[in-house]
Amino acid sequence: MNLRRFAPVLTPALALFLLLPALPARLPAQTISNPDLFGKSLEAAKEAVEQYGLYDNPAELARVNRIGYEIAQQADFQKFPISFILIDMAEPNSMTLPGGQIFVTRGMLDLGLDDDMLAALLGHETGHLLCEHFLHMQRRATLMNVLSNVLVAGVLIGSSRSQRPSGVEGPYDPRLAYDYGDGHGNLVQGAAAASLVISELLLRSYSRDNEDQADQVGQRLAAAAGYRADGGRRLFELMNRRMPQIKEYGYLQTHPFFDERVRAAEARQGSWSLQPKRSTDAYREHTQEVLYRYASHQKVKEAMAPHKHPNGRPPGRPPESPEAGQGAGDSPARHLSVSDFLEDTALTTWPQGKTADTIRLERLHRQRDTELAKTEEARDYGTLLRAYRKELAEVRRLDPKSELPALLDGEIAEFDGKRQALYPRAQAVLAGGVFETSFLVAFTSNFPDAPERPQAALALGEAYSRLGNQSDAVAKYLEAWKAAPESAYGKRASAGLRNLAGNLKELSALQQLSEQDRDPEIRRLAGERLAKIAKSYDDLANGAEYLRRYPDGKHVVAVLDRLNVLADNLYGEVVLYQGFGDAAKATERINKILTNAPLSRAAERLRDRAVLAAEKTG
């Protein structure tokens, strides 16, 4: 290969990759035995992360990786490198993809598993991988075969005219889901198609025989890794005790035989003796190298054959900073390339050493380059500096011998100097009163302690309010009010909140106001309105956003119940519009269900009726 041709795209990490020595032969021969299957499994994992988001809990992520690799080392699985990912899904669940990616949901960790129970869970998922149970699930295999082309091929939501009634009908109730189709259905693509496929891959269960075999293998691996074999029994007892109390979750539908699993786990727990624990450092470092090498090859391929991501950005490019229409306090949805996803996974697999330092530095430099490409007034040095300092603290904690901190210290000093030098110019722009929303976002981030902060936060709140972004407006009004409650800006912010409180439609915005403690009247108005509209809101996205931001909120049950009703109603409209032959309106509603309520009963019905277009036409 002529590397000079690709010199502009060879990052420091890729240059390092080209110089890496061969992997040591003394370690287990982890390979990528089936690149095609591994690639499709990676695509599924990446889409799952994009659809549901990562669960940002560093302590739990470290615990899952520690225990997971103790289990994986005992399994001696050599076909693919095993990796562990925490996904921000409320349903208590765990799942395995055939390429070695093992997911644990936020809801599962929220059950309060101790280490022995978590070892049994991760052993169970590793058991699915060892036994290759995915080969016995024809529907899952079919989905996996076309997953890499799903954004092009799409998914067909089928229907049938055979059940179309005749004569005078009573009032239409969309929850009855009359199936008035034309035998062909509607093709959905993009994020909605990915949502349907990933939901199918992640939420469908294995057979009872497969589950029992995975339980048995998991208990054996847990004991061999030094964990008590009764962890499996106690895990199933906990789930059997807790799950019926959580009516909105569907795990009991996909894993309906807890009593049998408890008895089987209890009978088996004396079969294996507890073994001493062994270090997994070398195993994890080796796994990281396999993942990172694949990521580096993938990055070269992406550079050689650039193509647009469905969101309009090239692969690997980080998202823009929040603008109008995005939450000021939230990162925009991150769209990953496969190489990005693999690098992130490699870093959590073994978060120290030269490869980990290379990944960290490359990620920071991508973020740096994105900021420096903006106009000077819109550069968010504050967010950039926080990212640098977070990585610096992590490296110093994990690897005192690392040479990376010296480099990061130098770059931090450089960016902080640029931030301070920007302040007089930013003051002048703010005083002039002519600026864009991106400038206000950057100002509040760059200068959180500046005396002008209340003014900038108020201006940003007013901008969001004009654009109809109620949650963001409330957040910025609150920021201005709390920063200087007696100032003119603070009083204007307070007045803005009072005007909004009784008329807000966004559940998340009302939750924010009901939690503030500066004004009891605003708190009362917001709380009363939230309690009322939690049961009657009419926008599916509104409920989905509340559940995302406040998964433990006081009104979660009411919001979720209403979300299911709205999704059912939309499902009925899908069927109705299919009957009328209006594909555009049917597809619009399909997209809303799959994007905002992927775990609802309506989404389950759509999955049941889905036929992959590639299979239909092939």
Side-chain angles (χ1 to χ4, degrees), residues 343-344 347 359-367 391:
E343 285 187 351
D344 288 351
L347 184 59
I359 295 171
R360 284 192 169 94
L361 187 61
E362 186 177 56
R363 293 197 311 185
L364 289 171
H365 282 178
R366 283 201 299 266
Q367 188 173 353
E391 295 292 355

Side-chain angles (χ1 to χ4, degrees), residues 167-276:
V168 178
E169 300 297 326
Y172 175 66
D173 182 351
R175 285 169 292 184
L176 297 179
Y178 301 139
D179 200 3
Y180 290 178
D182 59 3
H184 294 87
N186 300 102
L187 184 70
V188 295
Q189 294 177 288
S195 172
L196 187 145
V197 173
I198 297 304
S199 296
E200 174 72 24
L201 287 167
L202 300 184
L203 301 180
R204 299 286 181 159
S205 69
Y206 293 100
S207 69
R208 291 194 177 198
D209 288 343
N210 288 164
E211 294 285 3
D212 184 67
Q213 187 178 22
D215 288 346
Q216 181 176 356
V217 173
Q219 281 185 280
R220 174 176 62 81
L221 292 175
Y227 292 93
R228 292 182 297 171
D230 73 338
R233 173 186 60 77
R234 293 188 297 106
L235 170 67
F236 297 131
E237 285 179 343
L238 173 66
M239 297 182 72
N240 202 23
R241 186 169 64 250
R242 292 286 300 276
M243 301 297 281
Q245 302 170 17
I246 314 175
K247 66 177 181 179
E248 61 268 24
Y249 297 141
Y251 195 96
L252 286 177
Q253 296 175 349
T254 59
H255 298 70
F257 49 106
F258 277 124
D259 289 342
E260 296 176 23
R261 297 172 79 178
V262 168
R263 289 192 294 270
E266 186 172 17
R268 285 193 297 257
Q269 66 187 32
S271 303
W272 302 286
S273 58
L274 195 68
Q275 299 299 312

Side-chain angles (χ1 to χ4, degrees), residues 404-415:
L404 184 60
L407 178 59
L408 296 185
D409 277 332
E411 294 192 17
I412 286 172
E414 176 188 353
F415 297 138

Side-chain angles (χ1 to χ4, degrees), residues 315-317 334-344 366:
R317 180 178 296 178
R334 184 183 182 194
H335 296 276
L336 301 169
S337 67
V338 170
S339 59
D340 287 336
F341 174 77
L342 270 175
E343 285 187 351
D344 288 351
R366 283 201 299 266

Side-chain angles (χ1 to χ4, degrees), residues 268-288:
R268 285 193 297 257
Q269 66 187 32
S271 303
W272 302 286
S273 58
L274 195 68
Q275 299 299 312
K277 293 187 178 183
R278 295 192 293 122
S279 171
T280 60
D281 290 2
Y283 181 83
R284 293 179 67 175
E285 188 173 5
H286 176 73
T287 303
Q288 180 197 64

Side-chain angles (χ1 to χ4, degrees), residues 492-614:
R492 280 174 57 187
S494 176
L497 291 172
R498 283 180 174 273
N499 290 335
L500 284 173
N503 300 295
L504 284 172
K505 294 182 179 180
E506 288 190 13
L507 300 169
S508 297
L510 286 166
Q511 183 73 38
Q512 290 180 74
L513 288 182
S514 69
E515 291 179 349
Q516 61 80 32
D517 56 5
R518 290 182 173 272
D519 190 316
E521 180 64 13
I522 292 178
R523 184 170 65 247
R524 182 187 66 80
L525 289 171
E528 290 176 353
R529 181 157 178 79
L530 178 58
K532 178 180 178 181
I533 70 170
K535 301 176 182 179
S536 61
Y537 66 93
D538 56 9
D539 181 5
L540 204 65
N542 191 3
E545 180 66 7
Y546 178 88
L547 294 173
R548 184 186 72 82
R549 291 197 181 194
Y550 300 100
D552 300 318
K554 179 180 178 181
H555 299 281
V556 161
V557 173
V559 171
L560 193 53
D561 285 345
R562 180 62 178 168
L563 188 82
N564 280 322
V565 169
L566 292 175
D568 283 348
N569 290 345
L570 283 176
Y571 177 85
E573 292 179 20
V574 168
V575 176
L576 183 65
Y577 284 119
Q578 283 183 330
F580 291 154
D582 193 334
K585 289 183 178 178
T587 302
E588 178 188 3
R589 284 149 178 80
I590 291 169
N591 284 333
K592 286 182 179 180
I593 294 170
L594 296 177
T595 301
N596 296 301
L599 301 180
S600 66
R601 297 183 297 267
E604 183 76 8
R605 290 176 181 176
L606 290 175
R607 286 193 290 272
D608 287 339
R609 294 173 57 197
V611 178
L612 289 168

